[in-house]
Every structure is written in structure tokens, then in C-alpha cells.
Amino acid sequence: DQFIRKYYLNQLIRGGVLTLLSVLVLFIVISVFEYYMNFDVIFRTVLFWSYIIINTLIISKFIITPVLKLLKFRKGIKYSDAAKIIGNHFKEIDDKLINVLELTEMNQENDLIHASIDQKTSSISPIPILSAISFKTNIKKGYWLLVPFFLLFILFISGKQHVITDSSQRIIKHNTFFEPEAPYNIIFEEDLVA
């Protein structure tokens, strides 16, 4: 049970990283394209709803599903599947854990079966099976989050934040027509009398 909980917690952390990465990257890409291309109402609406649908699917798969399985609202991996994962990670366990699970399902009133379970359990008990799942790989994936944050940071300190802010406002108000900005400015100077 502890292994299965750690397994889904690991999936939840990985899902959080992937979800945040996809939300940020899609946001930046769509905003930059909208800023330079100045899409019409129909295309902005398609972009808006595509962004919502894609991120909803990603959140559902990588966040909601592991949470439901972690809280046991939804059926997760079986003990036999967990035993296979552990056996693949630790060669000294191999299929001993699966054998223990199979023997446990049999009638335990048999002394020979009970002795076999005890023997196999004592041979695998010193092995730290929870170390089969490492959070370090998720931390390494988390470094990819620095890329979109760095891009946003560069845009904001360079004074180009309007590339993100203006275009994201147009995408949020996707069903509103926006007049394209003129590529030049007209400045009227008034004659000042001293």
C-alpha cells in the first residue's frame, strides 16, 4: 500500500510539472503568434477553445486521475502490478513478491503455505522497496519549467511585456473585433505662440 501511494504521488508530482509546463508554453506560443499575426475573431476563438480543451485534457490525465487513484476514489494498480514493478527494479526480489501474493490468496490454514510465505517475506523484507520510486527524476524535469519563466522574465525586463499582455487580452476577448494597429504614428504639432 505504501509503494502504491508513493507511486501515485510520484505520478502526481510529474503531472504537476508537465501540466504547468504545457500551460506556460502554450500560453507563450499562442500569445506571441497572436501578437505578430493579429488573427481574426474566428481564429482567436479557435485558439482560445483549443487552449482550454488541451489544458483540460492534460490536467485531467496528469493531475485529476492520479489524485483520484491516490485517494482510492478510482481503481489503481493491483498488488500484482506493483509487485512486478518492484521485481523489475530489484533483481534480488524478482518474482518472490508475486509468489507471496499468490500464496496469500490460497488457504492460509495450511502450515506449509504459511511457512513458505514467512520464508519469502523474511528474504525480501530487508530490501527498501519504496526506493524503487525516486522523486529525483521529477525534480530534473522541473528544471524545464525555468525555460518559460525565463522567457517571460526576459520579455518583462526588456519592456516587451506588451507582446504577452496585449495579445493575451485579445485572445481572452476572442469574440471581439480589434482594429489592427497602424505601423506608424501620426503626431500633430501645434504652433505655440510665446
Side-chain angles (χ1 to χ4, degrees):
D1 286 334
Q2 288 177 339
F3 177 82
I4 292 172
R5 274 195 297 276
K6 189 172 180 182
Y7 176 81
Y8 285 118
L9 185 61
N10 188 43
Q11 281 194 336
L12 184 61
I13 292 169
R14 185 186 66 194
V17 169
L18 291 174
T19 300
L20 192 54
L21 189 63
S22 74
V23 165
L24 287 172
V25 168
L26 279 174
F27 172 73
I28 292 170
V29 167
I30 289 173
S31 295
V32 168
F33 274 119
E34 164 56 27
Y35 180 78
Y36 288 109
M37 303 296 276
N38 204 4
F39 298 124
D40 63 353
V41 173
I42 295 172
F43 198 75
R44 276 198 321 267
T45 302
V46 169
L47 282 177
F48 175 79
W49 287 110
S50 298
Y51 180 79
I52 298 293
I53 291 169
I54 289 169
N55 286 316
T56 302
L57 291 173
I58 290 171
I59 289 169
S60 173
K61 179 171 176 58
F62 292 113
I63 300 287
I64 295 173
T65 300
V67 166
L68 291 176
K69 289 181 179 179
L70 182 67
L71 299 175
K72 296 187 178 184
F73 289 124
R74 205 165 169 198
K75 192 173 184 179
I77 61 173
K78 300 175 189 170
Y79 289 140
S80 58
D81 296 332
K84 287 177 188 174
I85 294 170
I86 295 167
N88 289 337
H89 188 75
F90 296 107
K91 295 302 175 192
E92 56 271 19
I93 291 180
D94 197 24
D95 61 349
K96 291 178 187 174
L97 194 55
I98 294 172
N99 292 342
V100 169
L101 291 172
E102 290 171 350
L103 289 172
T104 304
E105 291 175 4
M106 294 180 177
N107 185 4
Q108 288 191 11
E109 293 183 21
N110 186 333
D111 290 335
L112 185 61
I113 292 174
H114 192 65
S116 180
I117 290 172
D118 289 342
Q119 178 191 14
K120 289 185 186 299
T121 303
S122 64
S123 70
I124 62 175
S125 62
I127 298 169
I129 61 172
L130 290 179
S131 66
I133 297 174
S134 174
F135 295 132
K136 290 180 183 177
T137 56
N138 292 327
I139 292 170
K140 289 179 183 176
K141 289 178 185 174
Y143 290 132
W144 283 103
L145 284 173
L146 296 176
V147 173
F149 282 119
F150 180 73
L151 288 173
L152 289 173
F153 179 73
I154 293 296
L155 283 172
F156 277 85
I157 65 166
S158 67
K160 301 285 187 184
Q161 68 269 15
H162 58 82
V163 171
I164 297 294
T165 56
D166 293 352
S167 58
S168 61
Q169 284 179 354
R170 289 194 303 262
I171 290 172
I172 290 170
K173 298 175 184 176
H174 58 89
N175 52 2
T176 305
F177 175 75
F178 290 94
E179 188 70 38
E181 291 185 25
Y184 52 86
N185 292 328
I186 300 174
I187 301 172
F188 293 102
E189 292 184 16
E190 294 181 25
D191 292 329
L192 298 175
V193 179

PDB file of all heavy atoms in Angstrom, residues 176-194:
ATOM      1  N   THR A 176     -14.307  39.431 -29.830  1.00  0.00           N
ATOM      2  CA  THR A 176     -14.362  40.877 -30.064  1.00  0.00           C
ATOM      3  C   THR A 176     -13.419  41.240 -31.207  1.00  0.00           C
ATOM      4  O   THR A 176     -12.302  40.730 -31.267  1.00  0.00           O
ATOM      5  CB  THR A 176     -13.929  41.650 -28.797  1.00  0.00           C
ATOM      6  OG1 THR A 176     -14.744  41.220 -27.707  1.00  0.00           O
ATOM      7  CG2 THR A 176     -14.054  43.136 -28.987  1.00  0.00           C
ATOM      8  N   PHE A 177     -13.885  42.106 -32.097  1.00  0.00           N
ATOM      9  CA  PHE A 177     -13.027  42.556 -33.198  1.00  0.00           C
ATOM     10  C   PHE A 177     -12.086  43.642 -32.684  1.00  0.00           C
ATOM     11  O   PHE A 177     -12.496  44.568 -32.005  1.00  0.00           O
ATOM     12  CB  PHE A 177     -13.868  43.101 -34.362  1.00  0.00           C
ATOM     13  CG  PHE A 177     -13.041  43.686 -35.465  1.00  0.00           C
ATOM     14  CD1 PHE A 177     -12.355  42.865 -36.342  1.00  0.00           C
ATOM     15  CD2 PHE A 177     -12.908  45.067 -35.601  1.00  0.00           C
ATOM     16  CE1 PHE A 177     -11.570  43.400 -37.351  1.00  0.00           C
ATOM     17  CE2 PHE A 177     -12.127  45.615 -36.603  1.00  0.00           C
ATOM     18  CZ  PHE A 177     -11.457  44.776 -37.476  1.00  0.00           C
ATOM     19  N   PHE A 178     -10.810  43.514 -33.040  1.00  0.00           N
ATOM     20  CA  PHE A 178      -9.811  44.522 -32.693  1.00  0.00           C
ATOM     21  C   PHE A 178      -9.231  45.093 -33.973  1.00  0.00           C
ATOM     22  O   PHE A 178      -8.812  44.347 -34.854  1.00  0.00           O
ATOM     23  CB  PHE A 178      -8.670  43.911 -31.855  1.00  0.00           C
ATOM     24  CG  PHE A 178      -9.096  43.526 -30.465  1.00  0.00           C
ATOM     25  CD1 PHE A 178      -9.503  42.235 -30.180  1.00  0.00           C
ATOM     26  CD2 PHE A 178      -9.089  44.464 -29.454  1.00  0.00           C
ATOM     27  CE1 PHE A 178      -9.886  41.878 -28.905  1.00  0.00           C
ATOM     28  CE2 PHE A 178      -9.477  44.113 -28.167  1.00  0.00           C
ATOM     29  CZ  PHE A 178      -9.880  42.821 -27.894  1.00  0.00           C
ATOM     30  N   GLU A 179      -9.218  46.395 -34.056  1.00  0.00           N
ATOM     31  CA  GLU A 179      -8.637  47.077 -35.223  1.00  0.00           C
ATOM     32  C   GLU A 179      -7.121  46.911 -35.154  1.00  0.00           C
ATOM     33  O   GLU A 179      -6.508  47.198 -34.133  1.00  0.00           O
ATOM     34  CB  GLU A 179      -9.011  48.561 -35.182  1.00  0.00           C
ATOM     35  CG  GLU A 179      -8.636  49.329 -36.424  1.00  0.00           C
ATOM     36  CD  GLU A 179      -9.487  48.944 -37.619  1.00  0.00           C
ATOM     37  OE1 GLU A 179     -10.690  48.700 -37.468  1.00  0.00           O
ATOM     38  OE2 GLU A 179      -8.909  48.893 -38.721  1.00  0.00           O
ATOM     39  N   PRO A 180      -6.496  46.448 -36.229  1.00  0.00           N
ATOM     40  CA  PRO A 180      -5.036  46.322 -36.218  1.00  0.00           C
ATOM     41  C   PRO A 180      -4.375  47.684 -36.050  1.00  0.00           C
ATOM     42  O   PRO A 180      -4.855  48.686 -36.567  1.00  0.00           O
ATOM     43  CB  PRO A 180      -4.696  45.735 -37.589  1.00  0.00           C
ATOM     44  CG  PRO A 180      -5.977  45.198 -38.129  1.00  0.00           C
ATOM     45  CD  PRO A 180      -7.081  45.968 -37.470  1.00  0.00           C
ATOM     46  N   GLU A 181      -3.296  47.681 -35.302  1.00  0.00           N
ATOM     47  CA  GLU A 181      -2.573  48.937 -35.092  1.00  0.00           C
ATOM     48  C   GLU A 181      -1.850  49.337 -36.366  1.00  0.00           C
ATOM     49  O   GLU A 181      -1.343  48.486 -37.098  1.00  0.00           O
ATOM     50  CB  GLU A 181      -1.563  48.780 -33.958  1.00  0.00           C
ATOM     51  CG  GLU A 181      -2.205  48.628 -32.598  1.00  0.00           C
ATOM     52  CD  GLU A 181      -1.149  48.596 -31.502  1.00  0.00           C
ATOM     53  OE1 GLU A 181      -0.050  49.132 -31.694  1.00  0.00           O
ATOM     54  OE2 GLU A 181      -1.451  48.013 -30.452  1.00  0.00           O
ATOM     55  N   ALA A 182      -1.803  50.624 -36.616  1.00  0.00           N
ATOM     56  CA  ALA A 182      -1.085  51.133 -37.792  1.00  0.00           C
ATOM     57  C   ALA A 182       0.417  50.954 -37.565  1.00  0.00           C
ATOM     58  O   ALA A 182       0.896  51.071 -36.445  1.00  0.00           O
ATOM     59  CB  ALA A 182      -1.410  52.602 -38.003  1.00  0.00           C
ATOM     60  N   PRO A 183       1.167  50.691 -38.625  1.00  0.00           N
ATOM     61  CA  PRO A 183       2.611  50.501 -38.466  1.00  0.00           C
ATOM     62  C   PRO A 183       3.365  51.813 -38.257  1.00  0.00           C
ATOM     63  O   PRO A 183       4.577  51.835 -38.190  1.00  0.00           O
ATOM     64  CB  PRO A 183       3.026  49.829 -39.772  1.00  0.00           C
ATOM     65  CG  PRO A 183       1.982  50.224 -40.751  1.00  0.00           C
ATOM     66  CD  PRO A 183       0.714  50.416 -39.980  1.00  0.00           C
ATOM     67  N   TYR A 184       2.621  52.911 -38.171  1.00  0.00           N
ATOM     68  CA  TYR A 184       3.256  54.223 -37.989  1.00  0.00           C
ATOM     69  C   TYR A 184       2.391  55.048 -37.038  1.00  0.00           C
ATOM     70  O   TYR A 184       1.230  54.746 -36.792  1.00  0.00           O
ATOM     71  CB  TYR A 184       3.401  54.945 -39.321  1.00  0.00           C
ATOM     72  CG  TYR A 184       2.102  55.024 -40.091  1.00  0.00           C
ATOM     73  CD1 TYR A 184       1.206  56.061 -39.859  1.00  0.00           C
ATOM     74  CD2 TYR A 184       1.770  54.050 -41.034  1.00  0.00           C
ATOM     75  CE1 TYR A 184       0.004  56.126 -40.535  1.00  0.00           C
ATOM     76  CE2 TYR A 184       0.570  54.116 -41.716  1.00  0.00           C
ATOM     77  CZ  TYR A 184      -0.306  55.149 -41.463  1.00  0.00           C
ATOM     78  OH  TYR A 184      -1.502  55.204 -42.134  1.00  0.00           O
ATOM     79  N   ASN A 185       2.958  56.112 -36.534  1.00  0.00           N
ATOM     80  CA  ASN A 185       2.241  57.039 -35.656  1.00  0.00           C
ATOM     81  C   ASN A 185       2.186  58.413 -36.317  1.00  0.00           C
ATOM     82  O   ASN A 185       3.165  58.858 -36.914  1.00  0.00           O
ATOM     83  CB  ASN A 185       2.948  57.173 -34.299  1.00  0.00           C
ATOM     84  CG  ASN A 185       2.862  55.898 -33.497  1.00  0.00           C
ATOM     85  OD1 ASN A 185       1.892  55.160 -33.594  1.00  0.00           O
ATOM     86  ND2 ASN A 185       3.880  55.642 -32.696  1.00  0.00           N
ATOM     87  N   ILE A 186       1.059  59.050 -36.211  1.00  0.00           N
ATOM     88  CA  ILE A 186       0.915  60.409 -36.736  1.00  0.00           C
ATOM     89  C   ILE A 186       0.918  61.348 -35.533  1.00  0.00           C
ATOM     90  O   ILE A 186       0.117  61.196 -34.615  1.00  0.00           O
ATOM     91  CB  ILE A 186      -0.384  60.573 -37.541  1.00  0.00           C
ATOM     92  CG1 ILE A 186      -0.385  59.614 -38.722  1.00  0.00           C
ATOM     93  CG2 ILE A 186      -0.559  62.015 -37.965  1.00  0.00           C
ATOM     94  CD1 ILE A 186      -1.679  59.595 -39.496  1.00  0.00           C
ATOM     95  N   ILE A 187       1.836  62.290 -35.562  1.00  0.00           N
ATOM     96  CA  ILE A 187       1.965  63.245 -34.466  1.00  0.00           C
ATOM     97  C   ILE A 187       1.647  64.630 -35.012  1.00  0.00           C
ATOM     98  O   ILE A 187       2.263  65.090 -35.970  1.00  0.00           O
ATOM     99  CB  ILE A 187       3.379  63.206 -33.858  1.00  0.00           C
ATOM    100  CG1 ILE A 187       3.673  61.792 -33.338  1.00  0.00           C
ATOM    101  CG2 ILE A 187       3.507  64.232 -32.758  1.00  0.00           C
ATOM    102  CD1 ILE A 187       5.106  61.606 -32.897  1.00  0.00           C
ATOM    103  N   PHE A 188       0.669  65.284 -34.408  1.00  0.00           N
ATOM    104  CA  PHE A 188       0.301  66.633 -34.804  1.00  0.00           C
ATOM    105  C   PHE A 188       1.002  67.599 -33.852  1.00  0.00           C
ATOM    106  O   PHE A 188       0.857  67.482 -32.635  1.00  0.00           O
ATOM    107  CB  PHE A 188      -1.214  66.841 -34.724  1.00  0.00           C
ATOM    108  CG  PHE A 188      -1.962  66.013 -35.732  1.00  0.00           C
ATOM    109  CD1 PHE A 188      -2.609  64.833 -35.337  1.00  0.00           C
ATOM    110  CD2 PHE A 188      -2.033  66.406 -37.048  1.00  0.00           C
ATOM    111  CE1 PHE A 188      -3.303  64.071 -36.252  1.00  0.00           C
ATOM    112  CE2 PHE A 188      -2.721  65.651 -37.964  1.00  0.00           C
ATOM    113  CZ  PHE A 188      -3.365  64.466 -37.588  1.00  0.00           C
ATOM    114  N   GLU A 189       1.726  68.515 -34.423  1.00  0.00           N
ATOM    115  CA  GLU A 189       2.379  69.513 -33.587  1.00  0.00           C
ATOM    116  C   GLU A 189       1.585  70.809 -33.711  1.00  0.00           C
ATOM    117  O   GLU A 189       1.246  71.258 -34.804  1.00  0.00           O
ATOM    118  CB  GLU A 189       3.822  69.728 -34.047  1.00  0.00           C
ATOM    119  CG  GLU A 189       4.687  68.535 -33.803  1.00  0.00           C
ATOM    120  CD  GLU A 189       6.144  68.822 -34.173  1.00  0.00           C
ATOM    121  OE1 GLU A 189       6.517  69.992 -34.317  1.00  0.00           O
ATOM    122  OE2 GLU A 189       6.878  67.845 -34.331  1.00  0.00           O
ATOM    123  N   GLU A 190       1.339  71.409 -32.607  1.00  0.00           N
ATOM    124  CA  GLU A 190       0.619  72.671 -32.591  1.00  0.00           C
ATOM    125  C   GLU A 190       1.639  73.816 -32.568  1.00  0.00           C
ATOM    126  O   GLU A 190       2.689  73.705 -31.961  1.00  0.00           O
ATOM    127  CB  GLU A 190      -0.274  72.752 -31.358  1.00  0.00           C
ATOM    128  CG  GLU A 190      -1.390  71.743 -31.363  1.00  0.00           C
ATOM    129  CD  GLU A 190      -2.251  71.895 -30.135  1.00  0.00           C
ATOM    130  OE1 GLU A 190      -2.311  72.993 -29.545  1.00  0.00           O
ATOM    131  OE2 GLU A 190      -2.882  70.890 -29.788  1.00  0.00           O
ATOM    132  N   ASP A 191       1.298  74.860 -33.279  1.00  0.00           N
ATOM    133  CA  ASP A 191       2.172  76.026 -33.236  1.00  0.00           C
ATOM    134  C   ASP A 191       1.965  76.731 -31.912  1.00  0.00           C
ATOM    135  O   ASP A 191       0.841  77.065 -31.531  1.00  0.00           O
ATOM    136  CB  ASP A 191       1.853  77.003 -34.367  1.00  0.00           C
ATOM    137  CG  ASP A 191       2.214  76.416 -35.710  1.00  0.00           C
ATOM    138  OD1 ASP A 191       3.170  75.618 -35.779  1.00  0.00           O
ATOM    139  OD2 ASP A 191       1.538  76.787 -36.686  1.00  0.00           O
ATOM    140  N   LEU A 192       3.004  76.855 -31.210  1.00  0.00           N
ATOM    141  CA  LEU A 192       2.935  77.510 -29.906  1.00  0.00           C
ATOM    142  C   LEU A 192       3.337  78.969 -30.047  1.00  0.00           C
ATOM    143  O   LEU A 192       4.340  79.296 -30.663  1.00  0.00           O
ATOM    144  CB  LEU A 192       3.849  76.809 -28.901  1.00  0.00           C
ATOM    145  CG  LEU A 192       3.488  75.339 -28.618  1.00  0.00           C
ATOM    146  CD1 LEU A 192       4.545  74.738 -27.720  1.00  0.00           C
ATOM    147  CD2 LEU A 192       2.128  75.264 -27.957  1.00  0.00           C
ATOM    148  N   VAL A 193       2.545  79.844 -29.521  1.00  0.00           N
ATOM    149  CA  VAL A 193       2.846  81.266 -29.538  1.00  0.00           C
ATOM    150  C   VAL A 193       3.436  81.611 -28.193  1.00  0.00           C
ATOM    151  O   VAL A 193       2.831  81.361 -27.154  1.00  0.00           O
ATOM    152  CB  VAL A 193       1.589  82.099 -29.825  1.00  0.00           C
ATOM    153  CG1 VAL A 193       1.916  83.575 -29.811  1.00  0.00           C
ATOM    154  CG2 VAL A 193       0.963  81.673 -31.119  1.00  0.00           C
ATOM    155  N   ALA A 194       4.628  82.232 -28.242  1.00  0.00           N
ATOM    156  CA  ALA A 194       5.306  82.560 -26.998  1.00  0.00           C
ATOM    157  C   ALA A 194       4.865  83.881 -26.444  1.00  0.00           C
ATOM    158  O   ALA A 194       4.424  84.785 -27.034  1.00  0.00           O
ATOM    159  CB  ALA A 194       6.808  82.569 -27.181  1.00  0.00           C
TER     160      ALA A 194
END
